[in-house]
Amino acid sequence: PSPFTFLLRMAELTGDPAYAQIAWRGNHRRLDGLPHDLYAEDEAAAHAAFARIIETHGAELILNSVNKQEWRIAILRSGAGDNARAAWLDYDSGGGHGHHDALNLGLFAHGLDLMPEFGYPPVQFGGWGSPRARWYLMSAAHNTVVVDGQNSASGGGSTTLWAVGDVLKIIRAEAAACNQGRRFERTAALVDVSPERFYLVDLFRVEGGADHTLFMHSHFGEALAHGLALKDAPDYGHETIMRNFRMDPAPTPGWHIEWRVEDRRGLLPEPRDLRVRYTGLMSDCTAGLAEGWISPGLYNATEEVWIPRMLVRRQGSGDVPLASTFAGLIEAYSGAPTLQSVERLPVRNAAG
């Protein structure tokens, strides 16, 4: 049977209209032609079932935040219609067909995947063992922290905080097993400002080694640095495929990187001035931009593109294991930024 028939049967068996709604959306939001199945026992009845579900429940998917702890994936959702958004956190690494992507963070908003995975390794550039294919699997190719330039070890994490409210939705997960048993913990909070606007609070705590680097990229487009005095810097190395490193060796908290998103695939109904901004609240670090290599086509394509990537780096002497807390805010918006000002308050205990 076609996937359309399969999804209709799932809707009928579970009583969940989302399956049929997905099929309808996959048919360009129309009923004509459904269920696209030569083997359908009663094509007219299937077509009528789709029509009945869409008429009864509407076209929009009603999905809640969810934490699939056995799959180690959490999705924070809010908004509706064109303002729907979803932030997701993956808290495992490796495994069959897996990437070294422990605590990788993603974001869907404004109709686009704004912090995407690179996807399936580009094996057309020399096979599975080629540098480009290996690059796609590396931790440094993901929106996560890398310790000493090494990939996160295969393993799974666990949820240490999960709370879903009307305004605030939050996940905290640890994945020490992916960092040689040392602290490796990320907190992501989705905060609604209005039905249209939101931001993410991102806290990443990591211990061990002598080099901690947070990487982040967005959709296609250019990235601009604000509040940073960027200078040419050495390559990150570690067999990553990046170039044109420009860093500020002493950034002042409150700097931000702003991506001007390019709808390269023409996925939006009309052009929009869409931005993604990361505001860094860390001190005692270096911060800046580089370009990362990707292949935007399928397996028979050879097109190559370099996209802007942010990196925030802390390095120690190696005598004492390094401990870092990467703190930042992520927002996606069209027009004026959601956050007008950001301040990090000093918090000290009784001992100072």
Side-chain angles (χ1 to χ4, degrees):
S2 77
F4 295 94
T5 296
F6 171 76
L7 290 168
L8 177 60
R9 288 291 292 136
M10 290 295 291
E12 293 171 339
L13 289 169
T14 65
D16 188 343
Y19 292 104
Q21 291 168 324
I22 290 170
W24 181 80
R25 292 160 71 100
N27 192 46
H28 306 290
R29 296 175 178 266
R30 59 182 185 171
L31 292 168
D32 293 347
L34 288 175
H36 294 288
D37 189 350
L38 294 172
Y39 300 97
E41 294 180 358
D42 190 336
E43 186 174 327
H47 182 94
F50 274 114
R52 186 168 56 253
I53 292 173
I54 296 301
E55 181 179 352
T56 301
H57 298 281
E60 295 301 322
L61 295 164
I62 307 300
L63 300 174
N64 297 318
S65 299
V66 63
N67 185 16
K68 299 288 188 180
Q69 296 191 55
E70 292 186 12
W71 289 91
R72 299 183 176 93
I73 179 82
I75 307 173
L76 306 173
R77 294 188 175 103
S78 68
D82 293 339
N83 296 310
R85 50 259 186 179
W88 57 269
L89 180 67
D90 173 29
Y91 50 101
D92 65 359
S93 177
H97 286 274
H99 294 193
H100 300 286
D101 58 352
L103 300 185
N104 187 34
L105 185 65
L107 174 65
F108 289 84
H110 300 283
L112 291 177
D113 185 354
L114 294 176
M115 293 173 60
E117 266 269 358
F118 285 176
Y120 200 86
V123 295
Q124 69 269 33
F125 289 91
W128 280 97
S130 65
R132 290 178 175 87
R134 293 200 307 271
W135 159 237
Y136 267 43
L137 304 179
M138 290 182 179
S139 298
H142 295 81
N143 298 315
T144 189
V145 168
V146 179
V147 178
D148 292 339
Q150 303 301 305
N151 290 327
S152 56
S154 295
S158 62
T159 301
T160 58
L161 175 63
W162 173 255
V164 175
D166 294 334
V167 174
L168 172 69
K169 299 170 178 66
I170 188 167
I171 172 73
R172 183 179 66 223
E174 65 80 26
C178 303
N179 186 34
Q180 301 181 30
R182 304 169 304 197
R183 190 175 194 181
F184 202 65
E185 176 188 273
R186 193 166 203 169
T187 304
L190 175 62
V191 183
D192 289 335
V193 176
S194 70
E196 298 78 25
R197 290 183 173 268
F198 71 98
Y199 62 91
L200 297 177
V201 179
D202 180 30
L203 302 174
F204 205 128
R205 296 176 172 90
V206 56
E207 296 178 0
D211 186 334
H212 299 163
T213 306
L214 170 68
F215 290 97
M216 176 179 163
H217 58 262
S218 183
H219 207 73
F220 294 106
E222 64 174 338
L224 302 175
H226 301 270
L228 294 175
L230 298 182
K231 300 177 182 178
D232 290 344
D235 284 2
Y236 180 73
H238 301 290
E239 299 184 347
T240 58
I241 304 182
M242 294 185 288
R243 68 182 189 184
N244 294 341
F245 287 80
R246 295 174 297 132
M247 304 291 291
D248 184 335
T252 301
W255 57 267
H256 62 266
I257 301 292
E258 184 178 63
W259 285 266
R260 293 179 174 176
V261 175
E262 172 194 347
D263 182 17
R264 184 186 180 97
R265 300 294 190 194
L267 299 175
L268 300 178
E270 57 186 27
R272 298 181 64 186
D273 180 18
L274 189 57
R275 311 288 179 98
V276 174
R277 176 182 288 192
Y278 180 94
T279 301
L281 302 175
M282 300 77 70
S283 58
D284 189 23
C285 66
T286 63
L289 287 166
E291 294 177 327
W293 180 92
I294 64 168
S295 174
L298 298 177
Y299 311 133
N300 59 349
T302 57
E303 181 184 6
E304 303 174 71
V305 174
W306 295 85
I307 63 169
R309 306 193 74 222
M310 179 192 78
L311 62 158
V312 185
R313 193 173 191 180
R314 299 191 71 245
Q315 294 175 285
S317 63
D319 298 331
V320 178
L322 189 62
S324 301
T325 298
F326 294 91
L329 301 173
I330 301 170
E331 55 180 318
Y333 59 91
S334 182
T338 298
L339 300 173
Q340 299 302 311
S341 64
V342 180
E343 182 181 1
R344 180 172 179 170
L345 303 179
V347 179
R348 296 180 175 86
N349 61 16

